[in-house]
Amino acid sequence: GTSTTLEKPYLRLTDFPKAENVRPLPILIKSLAHIKSHYIQHEDFEWANGQLKSVRQDLTVQHIRNKFALDVYETHARLLLEHGDLNEFHQCQTMLQSLTSPTSKLDPSVDNCDEIGGNFRSAMVEGGEEECLKQSEDAADEFYAYGLLYNLVQSSWGEM
């Protein structure tokens, strides 16, 4: 992507996105910080929800699957729970599970985000292979609990 705008409305894609309408990772990192700051100051759920969906869309169309993506999905999931949007929360929860599954790998093209204000460096294990994405222990416990509660609310006994 080549867009440098921090704020971008979410629009459902009906065609392949144009590069000038997609934000690259350094801009997405700044955008997430902007969204968090704006939400803390104004508590405008509709705006923040739309902005986070737009960030998620930009991550998806660029196939970005790294620790920053985890941060985006965790942030959005928490906001959605706070406002009772269980359907959209479940989408975030499902993506978090996909990002952290043993078959999901870090995005090898993104290994120097420290230089652009994020702390999302790809981890390499011995032998130069990529490490699987992992949530922090606290976040993993938090989202495991959310998953249990979600399944209770949805009466999804088989998922528990």
Side-chain angles (χ1 to χ4, degrees):
T2 60
S3 175
T4 58
T5 183
L6 293 182
E7 294 184 21
K8 185 178 111 178
Y10 170 76
L11 301 170
R12 189 171 301 276
L13 291 177
T14 58
D15 205 354
F16 291 110
K18 296 179 181 171
E20 63 265 17
N21 296 329
V22 178
R23 296 165 292 184
L25 184 61
I27 301 301
L28 291 173
I29 290 169
K30 292 176 184 176
S31 181
L32 181 61
H34 172 69
I35 294 165
K36 288 178 177 181
S37 175
H38 186 276
Y39 182 74
I40 288 169
Q41 291 175 358
H42 303 284
E43 293 191 29
D44 184 350
F45 170 70
E46 295 302 322
W47 177 87
N49 185 42
Q51 292 300 308
L52 287 164
K53 285 174 78 169
S54 181
V55 168
R56 287 171 41 196
Q57 186 175 63
D58 285 354
L59 290 171
T60 300
V61 299
Q62 295 175 91
H63 307 287
I64 297 174
R65 297 173 67 89
N66 60 13
K67 290 184 181 188
F68 175 72
L70 282 179
D71 188 27
V72 170
Y73 280 93
E74 288 173 354
T75 298
H76 199 187
R78 289 179 184 112
L79 181 77
L80 293 162
L81 276 181
E82 183 178 327
H83 291 274
D85 188 338
L86 294 182
N87 289 329
E88 193 75 25
F89 162 78
H90 186 62
Q91 289 181 25
C92 288
Q93 178 83 332
T94 300
M95 189 59 176
L96 284 167
Q97 290 169 348
S98 172
L99 287 168
T100 58
S101 78
T103 59
S104 181
K105 299 290 183 192
L106 287 170
D107 182 346
S109 67
V110 182
D111 65 355
N112 61 352
C113 294
D114 291 338
E115 298 170 14
I116 53 178
N119 192 14
F120 305 105
R121 183 173 295 277
S122 295
M124 302 296 273
V125 294
E126 197 171 313
E129 291 193 24
E130 298 162 41
E131 185 179 291
C132 294
L133 279 170
K134 292 186 175 100
Q135 290 176 293
S136 70
E137 190 173 321
D138 287 344
D141 290 345
E142 174 187 3
F143 281 91
Y144 180 76
Y146 291 155
L148 287 176
L149 293 171
Y150 175 84
N151 288 325
L152 282 171
V153 168
Q154 299 298 320
S155 298
S156 301
W157 299 108
E159 298 291 321
M160 294 174 40

